[in-house]
Amino acid sequence: MLNPFDIVIFGGGGDLALRKLLPALYRAYQEGNLPEGSRILPTVREQNKQQEFIETAHQALQTHLGKGEYNKKDWQAFSEFLVPVVTNVTEEDDNWDKLRGILDEELQRSRVFYLSLPPAVYGRCCEILSIKGLITEQSRVVVEKPIGYCGESAEEINAKIGEFFQEKQIFRIDHYLGKETVQNLMALRFSNVLFENLWDAKTIDNIQISISETVGLESRAGFYDKAGALRDMVQNHLLQLLCLVAMESPHKLNAHSIRNEKMKVLEALRPLVDEAVDDNVVRGQYVPGELGGKLVPGYLEELGEGSSKTETFVAIRAHIDNWRWSGVPFYLRTGKRMKERCAEIVVEYKPVSHNVYGQAAGTIQPNRLVIRLQPEESIQLTLMSKQLDKLEMQLEPVTLNISLSDKYSNGYHSDAYKRLMLDAAANNPALFIHRDEVRLAWKWIDPIIARWQQKGSPSLYRAGSWGPESADELLEENNHVWFNVGEQA
Ligand code: BG6
Protein backbone atom coordinates (compact mmCIF):
# COMPACT_ATOMS: atom_id res chain seq x y z
CA MET A 1 0.00 0.00 0.00
CA LEU A 2 1.14 3.47 -0.90
CA ASN A 3 2.35 5.79 1.85
CA PRO A 4 0.36 8.99 2.49
CA PHE A 5 1.19 11.64 -0.11
CA ASP A 6 0.32 15.25 -0.97
CA ILE A 7 -0.96 16.24 -4.37
CA VAL A 8 -1.22 19.90 -5.34
CA ILE A 9 -3.56 20.41 -8.29
CA PHE A 10 -2.73 23.69 -10.01
CA GLY A 11 -5.85 24.87 -11.83
CA GLY A 12 -7.95 23.16 -9.16
CA GLY A 13 -11.19 24.85 -10.23
CA GLY A 14 -10.63 24.11 -13.94
CA ASP A 15 -12.45 21.73 -16.21
CA LEU A 16 -9.94 18.87 -16.06
CA ALA A 17 -9.66 18.98 -12.27
CA LEU A 18 -13.40 19.03 -11.69
CA ARG A 19 -14.37 16.60 -14.43
CA LYS A 20 -11.57 14.06 -14.18
CA LEU A 21 -9.03 14.50 -11.39
CA LEU A 22 -11.29 14.88 -8.36
CA PRO A 23 -13.63 12.06 -9.43
CA ALA A 24 -10.55 9.89 -9.96
CA LEU A 25 -9.22 10.62 -6.47
CA TYR A 26 -12.67 10.01 -4.99
CA ARG A 27 -12.70 6.59 -6.69
CA ALA A 28 -9.25 5.89 -5.27
CA TYR A 29 -10.68 6.70 -1.83
CA GLN A 30 -13.70 4.45 -2.31
CA GLU A 31 -11.49 1.54 -3.33
CA GLY A 32 -9.28 2.03 -0.30
CA ASN A 33 -6.34 3.20 -2.43
CA LEU A 34 -6.05 6.75 -1.11
CA PRO A 35 -3.84 6.41 1.96
CA GLU A 36 -5.25 7.84 5.16
CA GLY A 37 -3.69 11.23 5.93
CA SER A 38 -2.95 12.09 2.27
CA ARG A 39 -3.79 15.63 1.26
CA ILE A 40 -5.32 16.92 -1.99
CA LEU A 41 -4.54 20.61 -2.42
CA PRO A 42 -6.45 22.16 -5.33
CA THR A 43 -5.32 25.71 -6.05
CA VAL A 44 -7.82 28.51 -6.62
CA ARG A 45 -7.01 32.09 -7.49
CA GLU A 46 -8.99 34.04 -4.92
CA GLN A 47 -9.78 33.84 -1.25
CA ASN A 48 -13.54 33.69 -1.71
CA LYS A 49 -13.14 30.80 -4.18
CA GLN A 50 -11.18 28.94 -1.51
CA GLN A 51 -14.18 28.97 0.81
CA GLU A 52 -16.52 27.97 -1.98
CA PHE A 53 -14.26 25.25 -3.31
CA ILE A 54 -15.51 22.40 -1.15
CA GLU A 55 -19.03 22.99 -2.43
CA THR A 56 -17.77 23.30 -6.02
CA ALA A 57 -15.98 19.97 -5.64
CA HIS A 58 -19.09 18.41 -4.12
CA GLN A 59 -21.21 19.47 -7.07
CA ALA A 60 -18.58 18.36 -9.56
CA LEU A 61 -18.51 14.87 -8.09
CA GLN A 62 -22.28 14.58 -8.16
CA THR A 63 -22.26 15.64 -11.81
CA HIS A 64 -19.29 13.71 -13.12
CA LEU A 65 -19.25 10.43 -11.19
CA GLY A 66 -20.92 7.43 -12.79
CA LYS A 67 -24.21 5.95 -11.69
CA GLY A 68 -24.14 4.66 -8.11
CA GLU A 69 -20.65 5.96 -7.36
CA TYR A 70 -21.59 9.01 -5.33
CA ASN A 71 -22.83 8.69 -1.79
CA LYS A 72 -22.93 11.23 1.00
CA LYS A 73 -20.97 9.21 3.53
CA ASP A 74 -18.03 8.68 1.18
CA TRP A 75 -18.18 12.29 0.08
CA GLN A 76 -17.95 13.47 3.70
CA ALA A 77 -14.95 11.26 4.34
CA PHE A 78 -13.34 12.24 1.02
CA SER A 79 -13.85 15.97 1.68
CA GLU A 80 -11.55 15.60 4.70
CA PHE A 81 -8.68 15.02 2.27
CA LEU A 82 -9.32 18.32 0.47
CA VAL A 83 -7.23 21.34 1.44
CA PRO A 84 -7.98 24.14 -1.08
CA VAL A 85 -5.23 26.75 -1.27
CA VAL A 86 -5.03 30.19 -2.90
CA THR A 87 -2.23 30.45 -5.46
CA ASN A 88 -1.84 32.47 -8.59
CA VAL A 89 0.44 30.36 -10.72
CA THR A 90 2.27 33.24 -12.35
CA GLU A 91 2.63 35.61 -9.39
CA GLU A 92 5.41 35.14 -6.93
CA ASP A 93 3.48 36.24 -3.83
CA ASP A 94 3.07 35.20 -0.18
CA ASN A 95 0.48 32.58 -1.03
CA TRP A 96 3.33 30.34 -2.16
CA ASP A 97 4.97 30.67 1.26
CA LYS A 98 1.72 29.60 2.87
CA LEU A 99 1.54 26.62 0.52
CA ARG A 100 5.11 25.74 1.43
CA GLY A 101 4.24 25.98 5.12
CA ILE A 102 1.42 23.47 4.66
CA LEU A 103 3.51 21.07 2.58
CA ASP A 104 6.52 21.27 4.88
CA GLU A 105 4.43 19.92 7.75
CA GLU A 106 5.09 16.62 5.96
CA LEU A 107 8.52 17.27 4.57
CA GLN A 108 9.48 13.66 3.83
CA ARG A 109 6.40 12.56 1.99
CA SER A 110 5.84 12.14 -1.70
CA ARG A 111 4.76 15.48 -3.15
CA VAL A 112 3.02 15.63 -6.54
CA PHE A 113 2.52 18.93 -8.38
CA TYR A 114 -0.16 18.36 -11.01
CA LEU A 115 -0.08 21.19 -13.58
CA SER A 116 -3.64 21.25 -14.86
CA LEU A 117 -2.76 24.47 -16.65
CA PRO A 118 -2.09 25.79 -20.17
CA PRO A 119 1.40 24.64 -21.27
CA ALA A 120 2.46 28.28 -21.72
CA VAL A 121 2.62 28.74 -17.93
CA TYR A 122 4.28 25.40 -17.03
CA GLY A 123 7.72 26.99 -17.03
CA ARG A 124 6.81 29.95 -14.85
CA CYS A 125 4.93 27.77 -12.38
CA CYS A 126 7.94 25.43 -12.02
CA GLU A 127 10.23 28.43 -11.63
CA ILE A 128 8.18 29.82 -8.74
CA LEU A 129 8.00 26.37 -7.15
CA SER A 130 11.78 26.39 -7.22
CA ILE A 131 12.29 30.00 -6.06
CA LYS A 132 9.90 29.47 -3.18
CA GLY A 133 11.67 26.27 -2.13
CA LEU A 134 8.78 23.87 -2.66
CA ILE A 135 10.66 21.26 -4.67
CA THR A 136 12.03 18.48 -2.49
CA GLU A 137 13.79 15.25 -3.47
CA GLN A 138 10.45 13.48 -3.13
CA SER A 139 8.65 15.91 -5.45
CA ARG A 140 7.29 15.09 -8.88
CA VAL A 141 5.63 17.30 -11.46
CA VAL A 142 2.85 15.97 -13.68
CA VAL A 143 2.23 17.75 -16.98
CA GLU A 144 -0.59 17.30 -19.44
CA LYS A 145 -0.46 16.69 -23.18
CA PRO A 146 -0.07 18.10 -25.74
CA ILE A 147 3.30 19.48 -24.70
CA GLY A 148 3.64 22.54 -26.93
CA TYR A 149 2.24 23.23 -30.38
CA CYS A 150 5.19 21.86 -32.37
CA GLY A 151 8.56 20.23 -31.78
CA GLU A 152 10.28 23.51 -31.06
CA SER A 153 7.79 24.79 -28.50
CA ALA A 154 7.74 21.36 -26.85
CA GLU A 155 11.53 21.43 -26.53
CA GLU A 156 11.35 24.89 -24.97
CA ILE A 157 8.74 23.80 -22.45
CA ASN A 158 10.62 20.61 -21.63
CA ALA A 159 13.89 22.53 -21.25
CA LYS A 160 12.26 25.07 -18.95
CA ILE A 161 10.70 22.40 -16.72
CA GLY A 162 14.06 20.62 -16.83
CA GLU A 163 15.75 23.63 -15.25
CA PHE A 164 13.87 22.96 -12.03
CA PHE A 165 13.05 19.25 -12.04
CA GLN A 166 15.24 16.30 -12.99
CA GLU A 167 13.91 14.14 -15.86
CA LYS A 168 13.11 11.36 -13.37
CA GLN A 169 10.84 13.80 -11.50
CA ILE A 170 8.87 14.82 -14.62
CA PHE A 171 5.76 12.76 -15.32
CA ARG A 172 4.24 13.59 -18.72
CA ILE A 173 0.75 12.25 -18.81
CA ASP A 174 -1.13 10.69 -21.70
CA HIS A 175 -4.29 9.41 -20.10
CA TYR A 176 -4.69 6.71 -22.76
CA LEU A 177 -1.71 4.92 -21.22
CA GLY A 178 -3.56 4.79 -17.91
CA LYS A 179 -6.56 3.00 -19.40
CA GLU A 180 -6.63 -0.60 -18.18
CA THR A 181 -7.65 -1.75 -21.65
CA VAL A 182 -4.63 -0.08 -23.20
CA GLN A 183 -2.36 -1.87 -20.76
CA ASN A 184 -4.19 -5.03 -21.64
CA LEU A 185 -2.89 -4.58 -25.17
CA MET A 186 0.59 -5.35 -23.93
CA ALA A 187 -0.68 -8.24 -21.81
CA LEU A 188 -2.46 -9.67 -24.82
CA ARG A 189 0.60 -9.40 -27.01
CA PHE A 190 3.26 -10.48 -24.58
CA SER A 191 1.55 -13.23 -22.64
CA ASN A 192 -0.06 -15.13 -25.51
CA VAL A 193 2.12 -17.10 -27.86
CA LEU A 194 -0.83 -17.24 -30.22
CA PHE A 195 -0.67 -13.56 -31.07
CA GLU A 196 3.04 -13.06 -30.79
CA ASN A 197 3.67 -15.59 -33.53
CA LEU A 198 1.11 -14.01 -35.82
CA TRP A 199 2.15 -10.42 -35.44
CA ASP A 200 4.15 -9.29 -38.43
CA ALA A 201 4.18 -8.50 -42.14
CA LYS A 202 4.14 -12.21 -43.05
CA THR A 203 0.65 -12.71 -41.62
CA ILE A 204 -0.90 -9.26 -41.21
CA ASP A 205 -2.31 -7.32 -44.12
CA ASN A 206 -3.14 -4.02 -42.44
CA ILE A 207 -3.85 -2.55 -39.00
CA GLN A 208 -6.41 0.14 -38.23
CA ILE A 209 -6.28 2.22 -35.06
CA SER A 210 -9.32 4.37 -34.67
CA ILE A 211 -10.64 6.69 -31.96
CA SER A 212 -14.00 8.14 -32.90
CA GLU A 213 -15.89 10.53 -30.66
CA THR A 214 -19.47 11.78 -30.79
CA VAL A 215 -18.77 14.94 -28.79
CA GLY A 216 -18.01 18.20 -30.55
CA LEU A 217 -16.15 21.21 -29.21
CA GLU A 218 -17.62 20.99 -25.69
CA SER A 219 -16.48 24.10 -23.82
CA ARG A 220 -12.95 24.07 -25.23
CA ALA A 221 -13.19 26.31 -28.28
CA GLY A 222 -10.23 28.47 -27.22
CA PHE A 223 -7.89 25.51 -26.90
CA TYR A 224 -9.27 23.33 -29.66
CA ASP A 225 -9.34 25.81 -32.50
CA LYS A 226 -5.62 26.42 -32.02
CA ALA A 227 -4.81 22.73 -31.61
CA GLY A 228 -6.99 20.61 -33.90
CA ALA A 229 -7.23 16.82 -33.97
CA LEU A 230 -3.65 16.21 -35.12
CA ARG A 231 -2.14 17.86 -32.05
CA ASP A 232 -4.95 16.95 -29.67
CA MET A 233 -5.22 13.23 -30.46
CA VAL A 234 -2.71 11.95 -33.03
CA GLN A 235 0.55 13.38 -31.65
CA ASN A 236 -0.12 11.64 -28.36
CA HIS A 237 -2.95 9.09 -27.95
CA LEU A 238 -2.88 7.56 -31.42
CA LEU A 239 0.91 7.43 -31.69
CA GLN A 240 1.11 5.85 -28.24
CA LEU A 241 -1.39 3.18 -29.27
CA LEU A 242 0.58 2.63 -32.47
CA CYS A 243 3.74 2.13 -30.42
CA LEU A 244 2.10 -0.43 -28.15
CA VAL A 245 0.74 -2.35 -31.12
CA ALA A 246 3.94 -2.31 -33.16
CA MET A 247 6.80 -2.41 -30.64
CA GLU A 248 9.01 -5.39 -29.84
CA SER A 249 8.67 -7.03 -26.46
CA PRO A 250 10.50 -4.99 -23.79
CA HIS A 251 12.99 -7.20 -21.97
CA LYS A 252 11.56 -6.03 -18.64
CA LEU A 253 8.38 -4.24 -17.66
CA ASN A 254 10.16 -1.15 -16.42
CA ALA A 255 9.87 2.40 -17.71
CA HIS A 256 13.27 2.35 -19.37
CA SER A 257 12.72 -0.82 -21.42
CA ILE A 258 9.18 0.05 -22.47
CA ARG A 259 10.09 3.58 -23.53
CA ASN A 260 13.08 2.31 -25.49
CA GLU A 261 10.93 -0.05 -27.49
CA LYS A 262 8.30 2.63 -28.13
CA MET A 263 10.97 5.05 -29.31
CA LYS A 264 12.26 2.53 -31.85
CA VAL A 265 8.80 2.48 -33.42
CA LEU A 266 8.63 6.28 -33.56
CA GLU A 267 12.08 6.37 -35.12
CA ALA A 268 11.07 3.82 -37.76
CA LEU A 269 7.90 5.67 -38.78
CA ARG A 270 8.30 6.68 -42.40
CA PRO A 271 8.34 10.50 -42.51
CA LEU A 272 5.41 12.16 -44.26
CA VAL A 273 6.74 15.27 -45.93
CA ASP A 274 5.43 17.57 -48.72
CA GLU A 275 3.51 15.56 -51.37
CA ALA A 276 3.56 12.49 -49.12
CA VAL A 277 1.27 14.45 -46.78
CA ASP A 278 -1.20 15.11 -49.61
CA ASP A 279 -1.12 11.44 -50.57
CA ASN A 280 -1.36 9.85 -47.13
CA VAL A 281 -3.16 12.23 -44.80
CA VAL A 282 -6.78 13.37 -44.84
CA ARG A 283 -8.04 16.19 -42.67
CA GLY A 284 -11.71 16.91 -42.16
CA GLN A 285 -14.07 19.30 -40.44
CA TYR A 286 -17.69 18.56 -39.54
CA VAL A 287 -20.67 20.44 -40.89
CA PRO A 288 -24.19 20.20 -39.39
CA GLY A 289 -25.69 16.74 -39.37
CA GLU A 290 -27.71 14.27 -37.35
CA LEU A 291 -26.34 12.37 -34.42
CA GLY A 292 -28.33 10.00 -32.22
CA GLY A 293 -31.56 11.25 -33.78
CA LYS A 294 -30.79 14.91 -33.08
CA LEU A 295 -29.67 17.70 -35.35
CA VAL A 296 -26.25 18.97 -34.32
CA PRO A 297 -24.47 22.13 -35.47
CA GLY A 298 -21.30 22.15 -37.52
CA TYR A 299 -17.86 23.06 -36.19
CA LEU A 300 -18.03 26.67 -37.38
CA GLU A 301 -21.44 27.19 -35.76
CA GLU A 302 -20.16 25.73 -32.47
CA LEU A 303 -17.11 27.92 -32.71
CA GLY A 304 -19.15 31.02 -33.57
CA GLU A 305 -16.74 31.95 -36.37
CA GLY A 306 -17.26 32.40 -40.08
CA SER A 307 -14.22 30.37 -41.02
CA SER A 308 -11.53 28.15 -39.55
CA LYS A 309 -9.18 25.63 -41.12
CA THR A 310 -8.85 23.62 -37.91
CA GLU A 311 -9.28 19.91 -38.49
CA THR A 312 -11.71 17.93 -36.34
CA PHE A 313 -10.87 14.69 -38.16
CA VAL A 314 -7.63 13.09 -39.31
CA ALA A 315 -6.93 9.86 -41.18
CA ILE A 316 -3.37 8.77 -41.94
CA ARG A 317 -1.78 5.90 -43.84
CA ALA A 318 1.49 5.27 -42.03
CA HIS A 319 4.31 2.80 -42.54
CA ILE A 320 6.87 1.50 -40.10
CA ASP A 321 10.08 0.79 -41.95
CA ASN A 322 11.51 -2.19 -40.12
CA TRP A 323 11.67 -5.96 -40.66
CA ARG A 324 8.57 -6.78 -38.70
CA TRP A 325 6.27 -4.30 -40.42
CA SER A 326 7.68 -3.77 -43.88
CA GLY A 327 4.81 -3.15 -46.32
CA VAL A 328 1.99 -3.21 -43.73
CA PRO A 329 -0.13 -0.06 -43.80
CA PHE A 330 -1.13 1.29 -40.39
CA TYR A 331 -4.27 3.38 -40.74
CA LEU A 332 -4.79 5.93 -37.98
CA ARG A 333 -8.10 7.73 -37.66
CA THR A 334 -9.73 10.06 -35.17
CA GLY A 335 -12.58 12.52 -35.33
CA LYS A 336 -15.15 14.46 -33.37
CA ARG A 337 -18.90 14.25 -34.01
CA MET A 338 -18.58 10.88 -35.65
CA LYS A 339 -21.29 8.29 -35.83
CA GLU A 340 -20.26 6.25 -32.78
CA ARG A 341 -17.93 6.68 -29.83
CA CYS A 342 -15.39 3.92 -30.09
CA ALA A 343 -11.68 3.27 -29.72
CA GLU A 344 -10.43 0.11 -31.30
CA ILE A 345 -7.56 -1.67 -32.95
CA VAL A 346 -8.42 -3.82 -35.92
CA VAL A 347 -5.85 -6.32 -37.15
CA GLU A 348 -6.70 -7.67 -40.60
CA TYR A 349 -4.82 -10.83 -41.49
CA LYS A 350 -3.74 -11.88 -44.96
CA PRO A 351 -5.93 -14.17 -47.06
CA VAL A 352 -5.13 -17.91 -47.01
CA SER A 353 -2.43 -18.66 -49.56
CA HIS A 354 -4.47 -21.29 -51.43
CA ASN A 355 -8.25 -21.89 -51.42
CA VAL A 356 -8.74 -25.67 -51.37
CA TYR A 357 -12.54 -25.34 -51.27
CA GLY A 358 -13.00 -23.43 -54.52
CA GLN A 359 -15.55 -20.70 -55.20
CA ALA A 360 -18.57 -22.96 -54.59
CA ALA A 361 -17.92 -23.00 -50.83
CA GLY A 362 -18.14 -19.21 -50.64
CA THR A 363 -15.49 -16.57 -50.15
CA ILE A 364 -12.84 -17.18 -47.54
CA GLN A 365 -12.66 -13.95 -45.57
CA PRO A 366 -9.31 -13.15 -43.99
CA ASN A 367 -9.19 -13.51 -40.20
CA ARG A 368 -9.70 -10.36 -38.22
CA LEU A 369 -8.86 -9.48 -34.63
CA VAL A 370 -10.69 -6.52 -33.12
CA ILE A 371 -9.51 -5.18 -29.79
CA ARG A 372 -12.08 -2.69 -28.55
CA LEU A 373 -10.79 -0.34 -25.86
CA GLN A 374 -13.98 1.63 -25.29
CA PRO A 375 -16.84 2.17 -24.69
CA GLU A 376 -17.25 -1.51 -23.82
CA GLU A 377 -14.09 -3.59 -23.71
CA SER A 378 -13.91 -6.68 -25.85
CA ILE A 379 -11.72 -8.88 -27.99
CA GLN A 380 -13.22 -10.42 -31.11
CA LEU A 381 -11.59 -12.90 -33.43
CA THR A 382 -13.31 -13.71 -36.70
CA LEU A 383 -12.55 -17.13 -38.14
CA MET A 384 -13.94 -19.14 -41.04
CA SER A 385 -16.01 -22.21 -40.25
CA LYS A 386 -18.17 -24.79 -42.03
CA GLN A 387 -21.91 -24.19 -41.99
CA LEU A 388 -22.85 -27.27 -39.96
CA ASP A 389 -26.46 -27.43 -41.07
CA LYS A 390 -25.54 -27.84 -44.75
CA LEU A 391 -24.60 -31.13 -46.37
CA GLU A 392 -22.38 -29.50 -48.93
CA MET A 393 -19.25 -27.65 -47.87
CA GLN A 394 -20.26 -24.04 -47.29
CA LEU A 395 -17.99 -21.71 -45.33
CA GLU A 396 -19.04 -18.79 -43.15
CA PRO A 397 -17.30 -16.33 -40.84
CA VAL A 398 -17.89 -16.88 -37.11
CA THR A 399 -16.73 -14.60 -34.32
CA LEU A 400 -15.22 -15.52 -30.97
CA ASN A 401 -16.28 -12.68 -28.72
CA ILE A 402 -14.73 -12.10 -25.31
CA SER A 403 -16.56 -9.32 -23.55
CA LEU A 404 -14.32 -8.00 -20.81
CA SER A 405 -16.98 -5.48 -19.74
CA ASP A 406 -19.34 -8.36 -18.86
CA LYS A 407 -16.63 -10.19 -16.96
CA TYR A 408 -16.04 -7.18 -14.72
CA SER A 409 -19.58 -5.91 -14.50
CA ASN A 410 -19.71 -5.70 -10.68
CA GLY A 411 -18.13 -2.62 -9.21
CA TYR A 412 -15.17 -2.25 -11.56
CA HIS A 413 -14.53 1.38 -12.52
CA SER A 414 -11.58 1.73 -14.79
CA ASP A 415 -10.22 5.26 -14.42
CA ALA A 416 -7.04 6.26 -16.23
CA TYR A 417 -6.44 9.39 -14.18
CA LYS A 418 -6.79 7.52 -10.89
CA ARG A 419 -4.24 5.01 -12.00
CA LEU A 420 -1.80 7.64 -13.23
CA MET A 421 -2.04 9.93 -10.20
CA LEU A 422 -1.43 6.99 -7.87
CA ASP A 423 1.53 5.93 -10.06
CA ALA A 424 3.00 9.45 -9.84
CA ALA A 425 2.58 9.38 -6.05
CA ALA A 426 4.28 5.97 -5.95
CA ASN A 427 7.10 7.23 -8.21
CA ASN A 428 6.32 4.70 -10.92
CA PRO A 429 7.02 6.31 -14.32
CA ALA A 430 6.32 3.28 -16.56
CA LEU A 431 3.08 4.71 -17.96
CA PHE A 432 4.38 8.23 -18.52
CA ILE A 433 6.10 9.71 -21.55
CA HIS A 434 9.81 10.42 -21.77
CA ARG A 435 11.04 13.72 -23.21
CA ASP A 436 12.58 11.87 -26.18
CA GLU A 437 9.24 10.29 -27.04
CA VAL A 438 7.66 13.75 -27.16
CA ARG A 439 10.47 14.92 -29.42
CA LEU A 440 10.15 11.98 -31.82
CA ALA A 441 6.37 12.25 -31.99
CA TRP A 442 6.58 15.94 -32.90
CA LYS A 443 9.31 15.24 -35.43
CA TRP A 444 6.81 13.08 -37.33
CA ILE A 445 3.87 15.47 -36.87
CA ASP A 446 5.60 18.79 -37.65
CA PRO A 447 5.96 18.28 -41.45
CA ILE A 448 2.26 17.43 -41.68
CA ILE A 449 1.37 20.70 -39.98
CA ALA A 450 3.83 22.57 -42.19
CA ARG A 451 2.26 21.17 -45.35
CA TRP A 452 -1.25 22.01 -44.18
CA GLN A 453 -0.20 25.56 -43.45
CA GLN A 454 1.00 25.91 -47.05
CA LYS A 455 -1.71 24.11 -48.90
CA GLY A 456 -5.37 23.06 -48.94
CA SER A 457 -8.12 23.01 -46.36
CA PRO A 458 -10.09 20.32 -44.53
CA SER A 459 -12.59 18.15 -46.42
CA LEU A 460 -16.06 18.51 -44.97
CA TYR A 461 -18.04 15.68 -43.38
CA ARG A 462 -21.49 15.55 -41.93
CA ALA A 463 -21.73 15.34 -38.14
CA GLY A 464 -22.91 11.79 -37.40
CA SER A 465 -20.99 10.23 -40.32
CA TRP A 466 -17.70 8.32 -40.38
CA GLY A 467 -15.70 11.26 -41.75
CA PRO A 468 -15.04 12.67 -45.22
CA GLU A 469 -15.22 10.51 -48.34
CA SER A 470 -11.55 11.13 -48.97
CA ALA A 471 -10.79 9.03 -45.88
CA ASP A 472 -12.58 6.06 -47.48
CA GLU A 473 -10.74 6.69 -50.73
CA LEU A 474 -7.43 6.61 -48.89
CA LEU A 475 -8.05 2.96 -48.01
CA GLU A 476 -9.65 2.07 -51.33
CA GLU A 477 -6.33 2.85 -53.00
CA ASN A 478 -4.99 -0.27 -51.25
CA ASN A 479 -8.23 -2.27 -51.59
CA HIS A 480 -8.96 -1.81 -47.91
CA VAL A 481 -12.03 -0.50 -46.08
CA TRP A 482 -12.44 1.05 -42.67
CA PHE A 483 -13.85 -1.24 -40.05
CA ASN A 484 -16.73 0.83 -38.65
CA VAL A 485 -18.27 -0.47 -35.47
CA GLY A 486 -21.76 -1.89 -36.03
CA GLU A 487 -21.40 -1.97 -39.81
CA GLN A 488 -19.52 -5.16 -40.61
CA ALA A 489 -20.23 -8.88 -40.54
C1 BG6 B 1 -8.27 14.29 -24.65
C2 BG6 B 1 -8.56 15.24 -25.77
O1 BG6 B 1 -6.89 14.11 -24.49
O2 BG6 B 1 -8.88 13.04 -24.93
C3 BG6 B 1 -10.06 15.39 -26.01
O3 BG6 B 1 -7.99 16.51 -25.47
C4 BG6 B 1 -10.70 14.04 -26.18
O4 BG6 B 1 -10.33 16.21 -27.12
C5 BG6 B 1 -10.28 13.09 -25.06
O5 BG6 B 1 -12.10 14.22 -26.16
C6 BG6 B 1 -10.78 11.68 -25.33
O6 BG6 B 1 -10.51 10.88 -24.21
P1 BG6 B 1 -11.40 9.61 -23.87
O7 BG6 B 1 -10.73 9.00 -22.69
O8 BG6 B 1 -12.78 10.11 -23.60
O9 BG6 B 1 -11.36 8.75 -25.10
Side-chain angles (χ1 to χ4, degrees):
M1 173 74 175
L2 198 57
N3 289 323
F5 63 90
D6 290 337
I7 178 164
V8 183
I9 303 179
F10 288 102
D15 192 53
L16 178 72
L18 297 177
R19 249 173 7 123
K20 302 280 187 187
L21 306 184
L22 290 175
L25 289 163
Y26 174 88
R27 287 184 181 121
Y29 165 74
Q30 277 191 321
E31 289 167 5
N33 286 324
L34 188 62
E36 206 46 55
S38 296
R39 293 179 297 178
I40 302 165
L41 301 101
T43 73
V44 291
R45 281 171 147 186
E46 294 143 32
Q47 207 76 41
N48 60 340
K49 293 264 162 45
Q50 184 182 18
Q51 282 129 25
E52 286 165 18
F53 186 83
I54 299 288
E55 194 37 42
T56 309
H58 190 193
Q59 280 171 15
L61 289 183
Q62 285 169 293
T63 313
H64 299 300
L65 284 168
K67 207 166 152 227
E69 287 187 279
Y70 170 85
N71 71 66
K72 212 162 181 178
K73 185 166 157 277
D74 284 346
W75 154 252
Q76 268 157 2
F78 176 71
S79 68
E80 298 292 315
F81 288 83
L82 294 175
V83 186
V85 288
V86 180
T87 313
N88 188 335
V89 292
T90 51
E91 264 168 46
E92 210 183 302
D93 55 20
D94 297 349
N95 287 318
W96 292 83
D97 304 306
K98 288 191 201 140
L99 175 57
R100 179 177 173 178
I102 300 173
L103 292 173
D104 282 359
E105 288 164 15
E106 301 289 351
L107 200 54
Q108 296 310 323
R109 68 166 56 163
S110 186
R111 198 177 271 190
V112 179
F113 298 112
Y114 197 119
L115 307 194
S116 176
L117 300 169
V121 297
Y122 287 172
R124 180 69 181 132
C125 181
C126 294
E127 187 174 16
I128 305 180
L129 282 172
S130 166
I131 295 170
K132 292 288 187 178
L134 276 83
I135 305 176
T136 57
E137 270 295 301
Q138 284 67 252
S139 293
R140 255 108 35 209
V141 62
V142 177
V143 289
E144 270 289 334
K145 51 98 337 206
I147 311 254
Y149 282 91
C150 59
E152 198 182 329
S153 58
E155 272 299 301
E156 273 168 28
I157 293 169
N158 279 328
K160 190 78 189 162
I161 303 173
E163 284 176 30
F164 311 106
F165 288 91
Q166 300 167 49
E167 179 61 27
K168 65 175 187 195
Q169 294 178 296
I170 307 172
F171 283 55
R172 297 179 192 83
I173 223 168
D174 178 321
H175 78 278
Y176 264 67
L177 293 184
K179 290 182 190 266
E180 300 298 326
T181 47
V182 172
Q183 288 164 59
N184 196 26
L185 252 183
M186 284 215 314
L188 203 65
R189 285 198 53 201
F190 302 129
S191 58
N192 291 293
V193 72
L194 187 68
F195 294 128
E196 197 39 34
N197 282 337
L198 296 172
W199 208 259
D200 59 21
K202 286 200 256 353
T203 47
I204 291 177
D205 185 67
N206 73 90
I207 296 188
Q208 305 181 9
I209 305 179
S210 183
I211 306 178
S212 55
E213 298 187 273
T214 49
V215 292
L217 256 186
E218 299 178 288
S219 51
R220 301 159 77 221
F223 158 77
Y224 196 86
D225 197 52
K226 285 200 204 80
L230 191 67
R231 293 183 179 92
D232 186 41
M233 298 292 288
V234 183
Q235 190 270 347
N236 32 79
H237 305 325
L238 273 163
L239 286 186
Q240 285 295 325
L241 290 181
L242 174 71
C243 287
L244 295 180
V245 170
M247 73 185 194
E248 300 299 314
S249 163
H251 79 281
K252 278 196 177 145
L253 261 192
N254 60 28
H256 178 72
S257 311
I258 298 173
R259 288 163 168 183
N260 268 352
E261 294 307 334
K262 286 198 288 175
M263 283 196 300
K264 286 184 206 157
V265 175
L266 293 172
E267 275 170 331
L269 262 178
R270 187 181 302 166
L272 293 174
V273 183
D274 300 334
E275 287 84 21
V277 176
D278 312 340
D279 296 344
N280 293 288
V281 188
V282 170
R283 58 175 152 159
Q285 189 186 79
Y286 60 88
V287 294
E290 201 182 310
L291 193 59
K294 286 196 191 127
L295 290 176
V296 292
Y299 179 71
L300 295 181
E301 287 80 10
E302 278 190 51
L303 189 65
E305 298 283 338
S307 74
S308 164
K309 278 173 73 173
T310 300
E311 77 289 353
T312 59
F313 173 99
V314 182
I316 305 182
R317 176 172 46 211
H319 280 93
I320 298 171
D321 287 328
N322 63 17
W323 272 41
R324 188 187 280 269
W325 295 118
S326 177
V328 178
F330 282 80
Y331 298 113
L332 311 178
R333 173 176 70 166
T334 185
K336 298 240 181 240
R337 287 280 192 233
M338 290 177 70
K339 190 163 183 184
E340 299 282 344
R341 172 174 183 254
C342 185
E344 64 189 3
I345 292 154
V346 180
V347 179
E348 298 209 306
Y349 284 91
K350 294 208 153 138
V352 288
S353 53
H354 172 63
N355 180 355
V356 289
Y357 296 100
Q359 282 310 315
T363 314
I364 302 189
Q365 287 183 15
N367 299 130
R368 183 195 297 134
L369 173 70
V370 180
I371 304 168
R372 181 159 308 150
L373 308 174
Q374 62 189 31
E376 73 298 326
E377 296 122 25
S378 63
I379 301 166
Q380 293 173 354
L381 181 62
T382 305
L383 307 167
M384 291 307 291
S385 163
K386 179 185 184 305
Q387 291 186 28
L388 301 184
D389 56 357
K390 298 238 162 65
L391 273 183
E392 69 277 22
M393 176 57 79
Q394 279 292 314
L395 298 171
E396 65 177 347
V398 289
T399 300
L400 290 173
N401 189 352
I402 305 168
S403 165
L404 295 170
S405 316
D406 288 352
K407 177 165 161 46
Y408 296 105
S409 54
N410 350 334
Y412 150 73
H413 289 291
S414 159
D415 183 321
Y417 280 100
K418 171 190 73 186
R419 161 77 200 225
L420 293 171
M421 281 189 284
L422 295 177
D423 274 2
N427 198 17
N428 178 5
L431 299 177
F432 293 82
I433 317 265
H434 190 270
R435 181 173 177 170
D436 292 339
E437 282 177 79
V438 178
R439 184 174 51 74
L440 289 169
W442 278 121
K443 192 172 162 199
W444 194 69
I445 294 288
D446 276 346
I448 303 178
I449 298 175
R451 182 68 173 179
W452 285 355
Q453 279 166 352
Q454 272 171 18
K455 205 173 166 239
S457 48
S459 312
L460 303 178
Y461 64 98
R462 261 182 314 100
S465 71
W466 283 107
E469 278 170 18
S470 39
D472 295 332
E473 288 157 12
L474 183 73
L475 269 68
E476 280 160 20
E477 289 167 15
N478 298 53
N479 290 323
H480 293 143
V481 282
W482 288 108
F483 180 89
N484 291 331
V485 57
E487 288 187 2
Q488 309 235 345

